[in-house]
Amino acid sequence: MIIMMGGPGTGKGTFSRLLHNVCPQYSHIETGALLRAQPDGSPIRLAIAGGNLVSNELVCDLISKTISQTHGDIILDGFPRTLSQAQWLVNNYATKYNIHVIYLNVSDEIMIDRINKRRTEGSTRKDDANLDTVKHRLETFHNITMPAIGWLGSEPDNIKFSDIDSSEQESKNFARILSALQIPTQNA
């Protein structure tokens, strides 16, 4: 199981899709898409529209159901987002999968620039819609997700963790990811 983590606009979805193209034997579970696919007005959609995280219980249940319907290796994109979700994931899946966390590490300025670019290029994501929501997402990332990333990077002995500088152009960032996963670049 490859877990893509990082703040908003770091490229979790982009690199997960690229990785799935290189390693088609992996199923790609895009957590954000799963959450955004929930019905309008649902607690999940209302939380997302406000730039907030969905409750641990709702997300873990959705991820558990999705993993149970998936066969083989997995690229998990955008989960876990909290320390309790990270602990739940390790407790429930570290004995079933070899887990490798890829942390896409970039500055807030780059994240904001990428989200602005995504918006100006026609993104219809409600959580990209205005700067206040984006700033709230960054604050949430630092206060809630970074402790999970810190824990995954230092605590569990049964997983691998790679801190990837993904501040450069896409091809260089992807080459770093492939190197961390020990996937030959000629496959890319």
Side-chain angles (χ1 to χ4, degrees), residues 58-159:
L58 288 173
V59 175
C60 290
D61 186 50
L62 184 61
I63 293 298
S64 178
K65 286 177 185 172
T66 304
I67 289 174
S68 72
Q69 297 168 356
T70 304
H71 303 287
D73 298 327
I74 295 172
I75 300 167
L76 191 52
D77 163 3
F79 181 87
R81 295 276 176 110
T82 69
L83 179 57
S84 66
Q85 289 173 8
Q87 292 167 335
W88 174 87
L89 185 72
V90 170
N91 289 339
N92 285 284
Y93 294 101
T95 58
K96 298 173 186 169
Y97 294 93
N98 293 321
I99 296 176
H100 192 147
V101 175
I102 300 293
Y103 167 45
L104 302 172
N105 191 351
V106 300
S107 69
D108 285 6
E109 293 77 21
I110 291 175
M111 286 188 259
I112 290 171
D113 287 346
R114 288 179 180 172
I115 291 168
N116 284 335
K117 182 177 186 241
R118 186 166 65 193
R119 188 175 63 238
T120 60
E121 291 176 350
S123 172
T124 58
R125 288 179 52 168
K126 291 180 182 177
D127 55 348
D128 284 349
N130 69 61
L131 189 56
D132 289 338
T133 302
V134 171
K135 287 181 179 178
H136 180 66
R137 289 169 62 203
L138 287 172
E139 186 178 303
T140 300
F141 168 72
H142 288 294
N143 293 333
I144 297 175
T145 306
M146 278 307 297
I149 291 168
W151 180 79
L152 287 164
S154 63
E155 294 298 324
D157 292 331
N158 51 346
I159 67 167

